[in-house]
Short mmCIF file of all heavy atoms in Angstrom, two decimals:
data_model
loop_
_atom_site.label_atom_id
_atom_site.label_comp_id
_atom_site.label_asym_id
_atom_site.label_seq_id
_atom_site.Cartn_x
_atom_site.Cartn_y
_atom_site.Cartn_z
N VAL A 170 16.06 1.18 -11.34
CA VAL A 170 16.79 0.06 -11.93
C VAL A 170 16.12 -1.25 -11.59
O VAL A 170 15.93 -2.12 -12.45
CB VAL A 170 18.24 0.04 -11.43
CG1 VAL A 170 18.92 -1.25 -11.76
CG2 VAL A 170 19.04 1.19 -12.11
N VAL A 171 15.72 -1.43 -10.33
CA VAL A 171 15.05 -2.66 -9.90
C VAL A 171 13.75 -2.83 -10.62
O VAL A 171 13.43 -3.93 -11.11
CB VAL A 171 14.89 -2.63 -8.36
CG1 VAL A 171 14.03 -3.85 -7.97
CG2 VAL A 171 16.21 -2.71 -7.66
N LEU A 172 12.96 -1.78 -10.64
CA LEU A 172 11.64 -1.89 -11.25
C LEU A 172 11.64 -2.16 -12.74
O LEU A 172 10.86 -2.91 -13.27
CB LEU A 172 10.86 -0.63 -10.94
CG LEU A 172 10.33 -0.45 -9.54
CD1 LEU A 172 9.81 0.97 -9.31
CD2 LEU A 172 9.25 -1.50 -9.21
N LYS A 173 12.62 -1.53 -13.41
CA LYS A 173 12.66 -1.63 -14.89
C LYS A 173 13.63 -2.67 -15.33
O LYS A 173 13.78 -2.88 -16.57
CB LYS A 173 13.05 -0.24 -15.47
CG LYS A 173 12.00 0.79 -15.17
CD LYS A 173 12.31 2.15 -15.73
CE LYS A 173 11.24 3.16 -15.40
NZ LYS A 173 11.52 4.51 -15.89
N LYS A 174 14.30 -3.30 -14.36
CA LYS A 174 15.25 -4.42 -14.68
C LYS A 174 16.26 -4.03 -15.76
O LYS A 174 16.56 -4.79 -16.67
CB LYS A 174 14.41 -5.63 -15.15
CG LYS A 174 13.41 -6.23 -14.13
CD LYS A 174 12.70 -7.43 -14.66
CE LYS A 174 11.77 -8.01 -13.64
NZ LYS A 174 10.73 -7.10 -13.16
N ASN A 175 16.78 -2.83 -15.57
CA ASN A 175 17.77 -2.33 -16.53
C ASN A 175 18.63 -1.29 -15.82
O ASN A 175 18.07 -0.36 -15.18
CB ASN A 175 17.04 -1.65 -17.73
CG ASN A 175 17.99 -1.44 -18.91
OD1 ASN A 175 19.16 -1.33 -18.74
ND2 ASN A 175 17.42 -1.34 -20.11
N THR A 176 19.95 -1.43 -15.90
CA THR A 176 20.83 -0.46 -15.22
C THR A 176 20.95 0.84 -16.05
O THR A 176 21.52 1.80 -15.52
CB THR A 176 22.24 -1.06 -15.09
OG1 THR A 176 22.78 -1.48 -16.35
CG2 THR A 176 22.20 -2.29 -14.18
N VAL A 177 20.44 0.81 -17.24
CA VAL A 177 20.43 2.04 -18.06
C VAL A 177 19.02 2.63 -18.07
O VAL A 177 18.12 2.02 -18.56
CB VAL A 177 20.93 1.78 -19.51
CG1 VAL A 177 20.87 3.12 -20.28
CG2 VAL A 177 22.31 1.23 -19.53
N LEU A 178 18.90 3.81 -17.49
CA LEU A 178 17.60 4.45 -17.38
C LEU A 178 17.46 5.58 -18.44
O LEU A 178 18.26 6.44 -18.52
CB LEU A 178 17.45 5.09 -16.00
CG LEU A 178 17.65 4.15 -14.79
CD1 LEU A 178 17.56 4.95 -13.47
CD2 LEU A 178 16.56 3.04 -14.83
N HIS A 179 16.47 5.42 -19.28
CA HIS A 179 16.23 6.40 -20.33
C HIS A 179 15.25 7.51 -19.78
O HIS A 179 14.06 7.33 -19.75
CB HIS A 179 15.65 5.75 -21.57
CG HIS A 179 16.60 4.74 -22.16
ND1 HIS A 179 17.68 5.12 -22.93
CD2 HIS A 179 16.62 3.37 -22.07
CE1 HIS A 179 18.33 4.01 -23.35
NE2 HIS A 179 17.70 2.96 -22.80
N THR A 180 15.85 8.58 -19.32
CA THR A 180 15.09 9.63 -18.65
C THR A 180 15.79 10.91 -18.80
O THR A 180 16.92 10.99 -19.37
CB THR A 180 14.87 9.29 -17.15
OG1 THR A 180 14.00 10.27 -16.62
CG2 THR A 180 16.19 9.29 -16.40
N THR A 181 15.21 11.99 -18.35
CA THR A 181 15.85 13.36 -18.42
C THR A 181 16.03 13.89 -17.02
O THR A 181 15.33 13.45 -16.07
CB THR A 181 15.00 14.28 -19.24
OG1 THR A 181 13.76 14.52 -18.54
CG2 THR A 181 14.70 13.70 -20.62
N HIS A 182 16.92 14.86 -16.87
CA HIS A 182 17.07 15.51 -15.62
C HIS A 182 15.81 16.21 -15.14
O HIS A 182 15.46 16.20 -13.98
CB HIS A 182 18.24 16.56 -15.73
CG HIS A 182 19.53 15.97 -16.02
ND1 HIS A 182 20.77 16.64 -15.92
CD2 HIS A 182 19.93 14.70 -16.42
CE1 HIS A 182 21.79 15.85 -16.25
NE2 HIS A 182 21.26 14.69 -16.60
N GLN A 183 15.03 16.76 -16.12
CA GLN A 183 13.81 17.43 -15.75
C GLN A 183 12.78 16.48 -15.27
O GLN A 183 12.04 16.76 -14.34
CB GLN A 183 13.31 18.15 -17.05
CG GLN A 183 11.99 18.86 -16.87
CD GLN A 183 12.09 20.01 -15.84
OE1 GLN A 183 13.16 20.68 -15.76
NE2 GLN A 183 11.02 20.26 -15.08
N GLN A 184 12.71 15.27 -15.87
CA GLN A 184 11.73 14.31 -15.39
C GLN A 184 12.04 13.86 -14.00
O GLN A 184 11.13 13.67 -13.15
CB GLN A 184 11.71 13.05 -16.37
CG GLN A 184 10.70 12.03 -16.01
CD GLN A 184 9.28 12.52 -16.01
OE1 GLN A 184 8.92 13.39 -16.81
NE2 GLN A 184 8.44 12.02 -15.12
N ILE A 185 13.31 13.62 -13.71
CA ILE A 185 13.70 13.22 -12.37
C ILE A 185 13.35 14.35 -11.36
O ILE A 185 12.89 14.05 -10.27
CB ILE A 185 15.22 12.93 -12.32
CG1 ILE A 185 15.51 11.70 -13.16
CG2 ILE A 185 15.67 12.65 -10.86
CD1 ILE A 185 17.00 11.44 -13.31
N ALA A 186 13.60 15.58 -11.75
CA ALA A 186 13.34 16.69 -10.89
C ALA A 186 11.79 16.82 -10.56
O ALA A 186 11.46 17.03 -9.42
CB ALA A 186 13.78 18.00 -11.58
N ILE A 187 10.97 16.54 -11.53
CA ILE A 187 9.53 16.53 -11.34
C ILE A 187 9.15 15.48 -10.37
O ILE A 187 8.36 15.74 -9.43
CB ILE A 187 8.82 16.33 -12.66
CG1 ILE A 187 8.97 17.56 -13.57
CG2 ILE A 187 7.32 16.03 -12.41
CD1 ILE A 187 8.45 17.40 -14.96
N GLU A 188 9.68 14.29 -10.48
CA GLU A 188 9.29 13.16 -9.66
C GLU A 188 9.83 13.30 -8.21
O GLU A 188 9.21 12.76 -7.29
CB GLU A 188 9.73 11.84 -10.28
CG GLU A 188 9.10 11.59 -11.61
CD GLU A 188 9.31 10.19 -12.15
OE1 GLU A 188 10.05 9.43 -11.49
OE2 GLU A 188 8.82 9.91 -13.23
N LEU A 189 10.93 14.00 -8.07
CA LEU A 189 11.46 14.16 -6.73
C LEU A 189 11.13 15.55 -6.13
O LEU A 189 11.62 15.90 -5.00
CB LEU A 189 13.02 14.01 -6.79
CG LEU A 189 13.49 12.61 -7.13
CD1 LEU A 189 15.03 12.57 -7.10
CD2 LEU A 189 12.91 11.57 -6.18
N GLY A 190 10.33 16.31 -6.85
CA GLY A 190 9.91 17.58 -6.29
C GLY A 190 11.05 18.56 -6.17
O GLY A 190 11.09 19.36 -5.16
#
Side-chain angles (χ1 to χ4, degrees):
V170 165
V171 172
L172 287 169
K173 297 180 179 178
K174 299 180 176 63
N175 194 337
T176 57
V177 178
L178 304 174
H179 298 282
T180 186
T181 65
H182 297 193
Q183 180 63 34
Q184 182 60 35
I185 296 173
I187 291 172
E188 297 189 0
L189 295 182

